[in-house]
Amino acid sequence: MKIITTAQWDEKLWRDAEPLYNEAFPDHGRKPIRIIRQMFQRKLCFLHLGIVENTAAVMAITGELPSVRALLIDYIAVRHDCRGQGTGRHFIEELKHWTRGERGLSGILIEAEAGDGPGHRSRRHFWEACGFHLTDYVHEYSWVPERYQAMYVNLSPEGKLVDDGRLLFESITDFHKRSYQRT
C-alpha cells in the first residue's frame, strides 16, 4: 500500500478520498466539505490516503491534539471491498509510524460509538486488534445523536495518554470546536 499524506487542501486527493468518506459516514455524522477545507486553511488537519493497485482503498482525516501530544483520527474509512483483508490494520500501523516519526507525537486517539450493536462491537474489536484501549467514560455531544467513548494507544513508553475518557474528551472536544470556529 502506498500512503499519501498532505497538510494542504488537495482537490485531486479529496476527489479520491471523498467516495470512501461519503460511503462510511451518514450526512449527520460527517463534517461538510467547507469545514474540512477550513480545517486545512487553519492547519488543523491532515488527509491520509492509502492507495492499493492505483485506487484509493482507505482514507483518514486526522488532527493533532497538542495538550495530550497525540493524533486524533477524526475520520477513517476503508473501501467496502477492501475490508476484512488487513488493509485497515496495515494503514493504522503506517499511521502509527508516521505519528511517532514524522510528528513526534506519543499516541493516537479515536472516538468509538458507544452502542452495543454488532457493528459497534465489530469496530471496537478492530481498534483493539490495532492496540487501542477503550475508556469507560461515555461522552455525549449536543450536535450528534450518537454517544462516544475514547480509545487510545500510546506509541512509546513515555506516552502520556491515560485511561481517563473525560480528560481525553476535553482535548477531542477542543479540536472539534476549533474545526467549526468561525474566523
Side-chain angles (χ1 to χ4, degrees), residues 148-174:
Y148 293 91
Q149 289 174 273
M151 294 187 79
Y152 69 94
V153 63
N154 282 309
L155 301 177
S156 65
E158 66 272 5
K160 305 261 188 230
L161 297 177
V162 295
D163 194 29
D164 182 344
R166 189 178 306 273
L167 179 65
L168 297 176
F169 266 100
E170 286 178 14
S171 294
I172 294 168
T173 301
D174 179 64

Side-chain angles (χ1 to χ4, degrees), residues 73-171:
I73 299 176
D74 195 16
Y75 294 94
I76 185 168
V78 178
R79 198 175 67 224
H80 190 72
D81 64 326
C82 292
R83 295 178 188 166
Q85 301 174 25
T87 304
R89 285 186 192 179
H90 178 74
F91 183 80
I92 293 300
E93 287 305 311
E94 292 297 322
L95 194 56
K96 287 178 181 179
H97 293 294
W98 178 84
T99 300
R100 178 85 173 126
E102 295 292 319
R103 304 308 301 171
L105 301 172
S106 58
I108 299 177
L109 280 170
I110 62 126
E111 298 166 278
E113 292 173 330
D116 198 36
H120 300 113
R121 287 192 302 272
S122 174
R123 285 187 288 278
R124 281 193 302 271
H125 176 73
F126 167 79
W127 289 108
E128 288 168 346
C130 291
F132 285 70
H133 305 281
L134 182 67
T135 62
D136 290 333
Y137 171 73
V138 177
H139 187 78
E140 295 184 52
Y141 292 109
S142 60
W143 59 84
V144 292
E146 293 87 6
R147 299 166 3 148
Y148 293 91
Q149 289 174 273
M151 294 187 79
Y152 69 94
V153 63
N154 282 309
L155 301 177
S156 65
E158 66 272 5
K160 305 261 188 230
L161 297 177
V162 295
D163 194 29
D164 182 344
R166 189 178 306 273
L167 179 65
L168 297 176
F169 266 100
E170 286 178 14
S171 294

Side-chain angles (χ1 to χ4, degrees), residues 35-52:
I35 296 296
I36 294 171
R37 280 191 183 126
Q38 178 177 285
M39 290 168 62
F40 277 101
Q41 290 168 351
R42 294 180 180 170
K43 307 219 179 291
L44 294 177
C45 69
F46 301 91
L47 174 64
H48 311 269
L49 196 59
I51 308 294
V52 175

